[in-house]
Amino acid sequence: MSSPLRVLLDGVACSDSWPLDRGLHYGDGVFETLLVRNGRVRFGALHRQRFATGCDRLQLRVDQAIAWQEVETLAAQQGSAQLKLLVTRGPATERGYTPSGREQPQRLLLAYPAPAAEPAQQPAAVITLQATLGENPLLAGIKHCNRLEQVLARAQLRHSGALEGLMSSSSGRLVSGTMSNVFLVLDGELVTPKVDRCGIAGVMRRVVLREAAALGWPARETDIAASDAALCSEMFVTNIRLGLRPITQFDGRALPVGERMRQLQAHVAGLDE
Amino acid sequence: MSSPLRVLLDGVACSDSWPLDRGLHYGDGVFETLLVRNGRVRFGALHRQRFATGCDRLQLRVDQAIAWQEVETLAAQQGSAQLKLLVTRGPATERGYTPSGREQPQRLLLAYPAPAAEPAQQPAAVITLQATLGENPLLAGIKHCNRLEQVLARAQLRHSGALEGLMSSSSGRLVSGTMSNVFLVLDGELVTPKVDRCGIAGVMRRVVLREAAALGWPARETDIAASDAALCSEMFVTNIRLGLRPITQFDGRALPVGERMRQLQAHVAGLDE
């Protein structure tokens, strides 16, 4: 019952195992986007921790030591690069959604050229998207491979000229950008949405939460009504590639970039970690 | 920026294009599970319609005629089989979630042995699952490849002995089983959850809605509170493999299988379509 009788790929018989991969069939996997500087993965320990947590939560039995040794070796070889590590549950051993527990996870590691350096004070616009995010505590926070919501949201954003689009959850809570986390100054306080119902627990979000507190500008994770985003006095978005990116325009309204934000941006960019 | 410098698959350099497939990275695709009898796809026209709708909604530019000609040819060759048709947006032409619009969709067609015939009056238990479904109108109804919610739900169900588990949405509405749609008799009326916020618009669900009306036992699509499922007097689940499967036990409570359900089950099983 487990093996197909025939496999056709674009009409041609195919004997490889990858057409059976559960990553392809169900998005049954997790990934990390990594930035390499001077042969080392930026914030590697935090990435490694999140990746291990994601694997645990999806019960993907991945050899963490092998995966990260491979990442570190490739990082050292490339010197400067972006990497994507993707692990799936592997080829299906049975038909259907149920994992058999006998799958052999498959590991993919891709190296891309390092992103072009951008000036720290570049203008960046954010708009509010209509596309929403479904809530599921079992998946919240995990950088898993079910990303159709982001794909559709990015397609909405494509011709807007904006760097990023803000998304809210089906219950009306602000969650994140399509490819970044978001921080707002609301009522004078630095806040970021919780990621316990949906959204990804970003590594740069984690770094900013830690470093902001250290710099005397503590940020709080909280529930934020989507409609409250319009009330913010400052905004920045975070991901590993952008670092901390100040937002200078939100839904057409100009936003200032305060001194504390500039300090935090420079501080995070300069961390040797 | 679009092509990776290096691709490692389980540590070994890989020059194939499939590691770049957006189906693998994002679950960016749709699928159909098809049952073949006497060389023909059961309810082929309805499958074809749903598949085309899913492709449209995700803006996957798939040649429908080629895809279905291939399905019909393989169906005729196999005689009796289960097929899975899966189409992804294809290898990424750029990094990141945004579709470039230049991707070439990739088509996968798998043939499996036909499922073993089961006696129509077999007992079948259903339990209520804790795992919920996120709500997203942009994805609701589509048989897309973001199926981690079902994977985790099936893992919960694995050792229960139940045929199926009922899932509710994050807002507390009954949605479906993990791999089937569900119909209930509530207050004497045959009802099934709407699939406008989450869930899959199943082909067998569509057939049952049509045929039940024709047999004088009309079924209504409606919002059903998850807690109301406990009040049902009868239940059945549907998918293309099970057909209409009467449920004889729900959360430990015995359920009767009424005469009208038996008639509808036999009628649907006998349709030459």
Side-chain angles (χ1 to χ4, degrees):
Chain A
M1 187 57 192
S2 58
S3 296
L5 302 166
R6 300 277 298 276
V7 179
L8 300 180
L9 174 64
D10 287 341
V12 178
C14 176
S15 60
D16 297 338
S17 69
W18 70 266
L20 300 182
D21 197 285
R22 291 176 56 101
L24 186 70
H25 286 256
Y26 307 130
D28 193 1
V30 296
F31 69 105
E32 291 289 324
T33 307
L34 307 164
L35 198 60
V36 175
R37 270 197 208 164
N38 303 320
R40 283 176 55 207
V41 175
R42 291 272 289 158
F43 307 107
L46 293 175
H47 279 291
R48 187 169 172 163
Q49 186 179 39
R50 178 179 60 181
F51 181 73
T53 301
C55 290
D56 274 357
R57 287 180 61 190
L58 297 187
Q59 297 187 279
L60 302 175
R61 291 172 310 176
V62 174
D63 188 316
Q64 298 290 322
I66 289 180
W68 288 95
Q69 186 174 40
E70 185 178 298
V71 164
E72 284 165 12
T73 301
L74 189 60
Q77 287 169 3
Q78 296 291 329
S80 174
Q82 265 185 99
L83 306 183
K84 182 169 182 175
L85 171 64
L86 189 157
V87 173
T88 70
R89 199 179 303 275
T93 61
E94 295 178 6
R95 286 208 65 243
Y97 297 130
T98 318
S100 71
R102 298 187 306 277
E103 297 89 358
Q104 295 295 321
Q106 188 146 253
R107 196 174 67 247
L108 199 56
L109 183 59
L110 308 166
Y112 292 87
E118 296 182 8
Q121 304 201 14
Q122 204 173 349
V126 161
I127 62 174
T128 299
L129 293 177
Q130 296 302 311
T132 54
L133 295 165
E135 299 181 344
N136 192 325
L138 288 182
L139 295 173
I142 304 174
K143 204 168 172 88
H144 57 67
C145 296
N146 276 201
R147 291 293 154 208
L148 271 173
E149 290 179 324
Q150 285 72 30
V151 170
L152 296 181
R154 291 298 302 180
Q156 283 186 10
L157 196 61
R158 188 164 42 188
H159 302 296
S160 69
L163 172 74
E164 181 56 299
L166 291 194
M167 303 186 75
S168 57
S169 72
S170 59
S171 68
R173 289 169 172 86
L174 181 67
V175 181
S176 65
T178 61
M179 52 146 192
S180 66
N181 291 108
V182 63
F183 289 73
L184 313 169
V185 178
L186 275 178
D187 286 332
E189 186 190 19
L190 183 60
V191 291
T192 189
K194 287 184 184 175
V195 288
D196 57 348
R197 294 165 185 247
C198 47
I200 295 177
V203 162
M204 189 52 71
R205 173 182 182 274
R206 180 56 45 204
V207 170
V208 165
L209 283 167
R210 185 189 70 192
E211 296 301 321
L215 290 189
W217 192 29
R220 190 164 59 94
E221 300 176 76
T222 184
D223 279 337
I224 301 170
S227 53
D228 281 357
L231 308 175
C232 76
S233 57
E234 297 184 54
M235 180 187 292
F236 61 84
V237 298
T238 60
N239 73 21
I240 204 66
R241 180 171 59 82
L242 298 171
L244 182 168
R245 173 63 74 89
I247 300 305
T248 56
Q249 194 188 78
F250 175 48
D251 283 342
R253 174 169 67 99
L255 286 179
V257 180
E259 188 53 36
R260 286 182 303 188
M261 198 189 297
R262 288 276 177 232
Q263 283 175 2
L264 186 55
Q265 179 186 23
H267 174 74
V268 168
L271 286 172
D272 182 26
E273 180 181 343
Chain B
M1 187 57 189
S2 57
S3 294
L5 303 167
R6 301 276 298 279
V7 179
L8 300 180
L9 174 65
D10 287 340
V12 178
C14 175
S15 59
D16 297 337
S17 70
W18 71 263
L20 300 181
D21 197 285
R22 292 175 57 100
L24 187 68
H25 286 256
Y26 307 132
D28 194 359
V30 295
F31 69 104
E32 291 289 325
T33 306
L34 307 164
L35 197 61
V36 176
R37 269 198 208 165
N38 304 319
R40 284 175 55 208
V41 175
R42 291 273 288 160
F43 306 107
L46 293 175
H47 280 291
R48 187 167 174 166
Q49 185 179 38
R50 179 178 61 181
F51 182 73
T53 301
C55 290
D56 274 357
R57 287 180 61 190
L58 297 187
Q59 298 187 279
L60 302 175
R61 291 173 310 174
V62 174
D63 188 318
Q64 298 289 325
I66 289 180
W68 286 98
Q69 186 174 40
E70 186 178 298
V71 164
E72 283 164 14
T73 302
L74 190 59
Q77 288 170 2
Q78 297 291 330
S80 174
Q82 263 184 101
L83 306 184
K84 182 169 182 176
L85 171 64
L86 189 157
V87 173
T88 71
R89 200 178 303 274
T93 61
E94 296 178 5
R95 284 207 66 242
Y97 297 130
T98 318
S100 70
R102 298 187 308 277
E103 298 89 358
Q104 295 295 322
Q106 188 147 251
R107 197 174 66 247
L108 199 57
L109 183 58
L110 309 166
Y112 292 87
E118 294 183 7
Q121 306 202 13
Q122 204 172 349
V126 160
I127 62 174
T128 299
L129 292 177
Q130 296 302 310
T132 53
L133 295 165
E135 298 182 344
N136 192 325
L138 290 180
L139 294 174
I142 304 174
K143 203 169 172 86
H144 58 66
C145 297
N146 276 201
R147 293 292 153 208
L148 271 174
E149 290 179 322
Q150 284 72 29
V151 170
L152 296 182
R154 291 298 302 182
Q156 283 186 11
L157 195 62
R158 188 164 40 189
H159 302 296
S160 69
L163 172 74
E164 180 57 297
L166 291 195
M167 302 186 75
S168 57
S169 73
S170 59
S171 68
R173 288 168 173 85
L174 182 66
V175 181
S176 63
T178 61
M179 52 144 193
S180 66
N181 291 108
V182 64
F183 288 74
L184 313 169
V185 178
L186 275 179
D187 286 332
E189 186 189 18
L190 183 60
V191 291
T192 188
K194 288 185 184 175
V195 288
D196 56 349
R197 297 165 183 248
C198 49
I200 295 177
V203 162
M204 189 52 70
R205 173 182 182 273
R206 178 57 45 207
V207 170
V208 165
L209 283 167
R210 185 188 72 193
E211 298 300 322
L215 290 190
W217 192 31
R220 190 163 60 94
E221 298 176 76
T222 185
D223 280 337
I224 302 170
S227 53
D228 281 356
L231 307 176
C232 75
S233 57
E234 298 184 53
M235 180 186 293
F236 60 83
V237 298
T238 61
N239 73 21
I240 203 67
R241 181 171 59 80
L242 298 172
L244 182 169
R245 172 63 74 91
I247 300 305
T248 55
Q249 194 187 78
F250 175 47
D251 283 342
R253 175 169 67 99
L255 287 179
V257 180
E259 187 54 33
R260 288 181 303 188
M261 196 189 298
R262 287 277 176 229
Q263 282 174 3
L264 185 56
Q265 179 186 23
H267 174 74
V268 167
L271 287 171
D272 183 25
E273 179 182 342

